[in-house]
């Protein structure tokens, strides 16, 4: 009973159920009446209720089975409603002188309740204990591995945060450089545009000057030809 209560207290309900069921089976085999095993039935009923609460949200059908087993165990302790009503009617209808005093059950010796070292029940309990210890060791190992994995993930997370901050700084620097490059590009494009406009204006001025020179040359040639003809005519008239 104490072992089962300990397992239930630490949350290992399955082990508690196994120990209590083994105890009940052994005590029943020794001839102990169920009425003397009510504390064990109560503890086993509580364990079944704990199991039902644990699996209620995951497996409702299993939870219903645990609740039903808990109810049957409680009925072994307190009886059913029909049995209580029947016993009440019998006690009322029976004359007072016919009621016999309840006999006190015979005491159980210590040798009958404590299993021997070589008994099968003791071997079964030892196997259960070894299995539970092995399960505890496996859980401890798994917990240690999970803690190590957690520390590794925390270290990786810290490294990722540092890398992210460094990349953000590099990204900001690249954005600044890109902004400066775009400003320089805009300035260069503006300068090229100004140079193109100046060249176009210079070409227009050059074409205008060339046209004026050609026109002046044409006028000069006409004037020169006219003056030479007049000079020749004047010389002929003087002769």
């Amino acid at each position: 009973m104490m072992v089962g209560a300990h397992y239930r207290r630490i949350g290992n309900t399955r082990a508690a159920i196994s120990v209590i069921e083994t105890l009940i089976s052994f005590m029943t085999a020794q001839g102990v009446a169920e009425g003397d095993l009510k504390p064990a039935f109560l503890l086993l009923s509580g364990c079944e209720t704990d199991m039902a609460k644990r699996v209620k949200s995951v497996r409702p059908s299993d939870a219903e089975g645990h609740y039903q087993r808990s109810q049957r165990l409680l009925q072994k302790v307190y009886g059913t409603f029909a049995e209580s009503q029947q016993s009440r009617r019998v006690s009322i209808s029976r004359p007072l002188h016919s009621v016999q005093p309840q006999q006190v059950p015979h005491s159980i010796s210590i040798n009958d309740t404590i299993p021997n070292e070589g008994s099968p029940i003791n071997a079964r309990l030892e196997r259960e204990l070894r299995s539970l210890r092995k399960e505890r060791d496996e859980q401890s190992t798994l917990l240690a591995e999970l803690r190590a994995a957690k520390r590794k993930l925390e270290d990786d997370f810290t490294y990722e945060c540092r890398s992210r901050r460094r990349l953000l700084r590099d990204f900001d620097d690249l954005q600044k450089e890109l902004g400066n490059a775009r400003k320089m590009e805009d300035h260069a494009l503006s300068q090229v545009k100004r140079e193109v406009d100046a060249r176009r204006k210079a070409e227009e001025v050059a074409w205008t000057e060339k046209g004026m020179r050609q026109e002046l040359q044409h006028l000069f040639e006409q004037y020169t030809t006219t003056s030479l003809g007049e000079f020749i005519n004047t010389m002929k008239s003087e002769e």
Side-chain angles (χ1 to χ4, degrees), residues 14-41:
R14 293 186 182 276
I17 292 175
S18 177
V19 171
I20 298 169
E21 287 180 346
T22 304
L23 176 63
I24 292 174
S25 300
F26 174 76
M27 299 298 286
T28 304
Q30 295 295 325
V32 180
E34 289 186 353
D36 297 331
L37 297 176
K38 290 182 178 180
F41 288 136

